[in-house]
Amino acid sequence: EDIYDEMERSYPAKDNSCMVAINPRRSHLLYPEEHPREDPVAMARRLGILPGGQWKPLNCHPLFNVAIILPYRNRQTQLTIFMNYIHPFLQSQNLDYRIFVIEQSPMREFNRAKLFNVGYAEATKVNDFHCFIFQDIDLIPQNPDNIYACTKMPRHMSSSVNTFRYNLPYTGLFGGAIALTRKQFERANGFSNVFYGWGGEDDDFYSRLQSRGFQVTRFGPDVAQYYMLTHKKETPSNARFENLETGAKRYDTDGISNLEYRVLNHQLRPLYSWILADV
Ligand code: NGS
């Protein structure tokens, strides 16, 4: 259905009228909140997902082997919506994949970047993953052409998000969803561990990659479309600018090279591997 047909126009359409959506034909994906939520055990059985959220195609040879790393705390509804949506999406791409949810224990401020490092470290213990997707669970990929696998250069996957009206807000934005091979990630020494609280860790990672000679890539805005699940805006951390400014001094010493954390609990849940970490 063309969503333009659904609109009550205030003014007659002209050639240069503002667009209300980039790709109206995909409008059925615009409201992932409304997707049916299935019982996790039933869903895993129906889709052939193995405990811990693992799957690979059985009637063809997968081309891509990928670990999806999701940092998490206190967003149960979003996690449910994400899992319901993402498994069929990944299966449609015939990937050999496994999903890891890295939950940060209470007390300290959320440290998204360090949880990514933990996810990398824990995933690497169980399998020799070739490719890592690091992403937020509030981001729903809308185009099945946005392949959840790695590219020759580190890739910013979520360059076209509805909350930015599908525009990239600044060239160095490297947040949301990104894809890196294990080699690329190790070359960068992973993420910085010092970014507690909201903001800056993705900018630091972008600079890190540039300092290592990587040019990041993006797919076109039509392919890289995401829908962001709604939530309250976090309060940005006060330390983020200073951490950014001093970041370059720490590229070699702060990252997976000095990563310290404790796994407090872990479970193979029907739709994902769950790891509770104290960072
Ligand atoms: C920048 C933040 C990034 C963040 C980006 C987009 O200002 O971490 O906004 O945020 N950098 C700093 O705070 C230094 S968003 O509008 O998606 O909430 O990713």
Side-chain angles (χ1 to χ4, degrees), residues 10 19 42 60 84 87 92-93 96 100 124 132 156 161 177 190 217 251 256 258 261:
S10 305
M19 285 198 276
C60 61
N84 270 262
H87 277 289
S92 77
Q93 298 183 339
D96 176 0
F100 295 85
T124 303
F132 290 84
H156 184 226
V161 184
T217 57
Y251 293 161
I256 52 181
N258 72 335
Y261 63 94

Side-chain angles (χ1 to χ4, degrees), residues 164 169-170 173 175 198-203 228 233 236 240-241 244:
F164 296 125
Y170 60 99
L173 180 66
W198 188 92
E201 82 293 341
D202 49 349
D203 302 328
M228 189 182 281
K233 259 225 155 215
R240 71 195 194 287
F241 293 116
L244 263 178

Side-chain angles (χ1 to χ4, degrees), residues 13-223:
K14 291 184 182 166
D15 281 344
N16 60 349
S17 288
C18 294
M19 285 198 276
V20 296
I22 299 275
N23 197 331
R25 252 175 282 137
R26 292 214 178 83
S27 62
H28 64 285
L29 292 178
L30 275 177
Y31 300 102
E33 283 101 335
E34 289 167 13
H35 277 225
R37 296 180 204 168
E38 197 175 353
D39 168 70
V41 174
M43 182 175 177
R45 193 178 302 130
R46 179 172 66 84
L47 296 177
I49 299 161
L50 300 179
Q54 307 176 64
W55 185 85
K56 66 177 172 208
L58 295 177
N59 43 20
C60 61
H61 290 287
L63 284 173
F64 303 105
N65 161 251
V66 54
I68 322 275
I69 311 292
L70 308 167
Y72 178 80
R73 179 149 82 186
N74 196 21
R75 290 256 196 281
Q76 184 54 56
T77 306
Q78 286 189 2
L79 190 61
T80 303
I81 294 170
F82 184 86
M83 289 301 162
N84 270 262
Y85 186 91
I86 206 72
H87 277 289
F89 180 92
L90 298 170
Q91 293 189 348
S92 77
Q93 298 183 339
N94 274 326
L95 307 171
D96 176 0
Y97 71 87
R98 176 161 167 175
I99 301 182
F100 295 85
V101 171
I102 316 297
E103 178 167 346
Q104 185 176 334
S105 61
M107 309 310 278
R108 289 203 77 172
E109 280 182 290
F110 197 62
N111 190 332
R112 175 179 183 267
K114 190 164 181 185
L115 292 173
F116 281 147
N117 286 343
V118 172
Y120 154 83
E122 290 297 310
T124 303
K125 282 184 198 164
V126 297
N127 193 358
D128 183 18
F129 289 103
H130 169 254
C131 173
F132 290 84
I133 310 283
F134 300 99
Q135 97 152 71
D136 298 329
I137 57 159
D138 59 357
L139 280 174
I140 305 291
Q142 292 180 272
N143 190 331
D145 295 337
N146 194 2
I147 304 298
Y148 265 53
C150 285
T151 34
K152 294 222 164 70
M153 284 286 165
R155 179 160 113 259
H156 184 226
M157 301 172 78
S158 56
S159 54
S160 183
V161 184
N162 67 322
T163 49
F164 296 125
R165 295 195 55 75
Y166 297 104
N167 287 292
L168 185 67
Y170 60 99
T171 316
L173 180 66
F174 208 60
I178 59 175
L180 287 95
T181 63
R182 178 172 174 175
K183 271 197 182 141
Q184 291 162 356
F185 191 70
E186 290 175 356
R187 189 80 211 295
N189 192 21
F191 281 84
S192 165
N193 296 308
V194 306
F195 284 81
Y196 284 88
W198 188 92
E201 82 293 341
D202 49 349
D203 302 328
D204 181 80
F205 190 58
Y206 183 81
S207 308
R208 234 169 226 245
L209 290 171
Q210 290 207 311
S211 80
R212 295 292 183 271
F214 290 116
Q215 287 296 323
V216 314
T217 57
R218 294 187 173 97
F219 289 165
D222 52 331
V223 171

Side-chain angles (χ1 to χ4, degrees), residues 195 238-247 250:
F195 284 81
N238 294 326
R240 71 195 194 287
F241 293 116
E242 201 195 322
N243 285 338
L244 263 178
E245 256 166 52
T246 56
R250 287 190 305 270

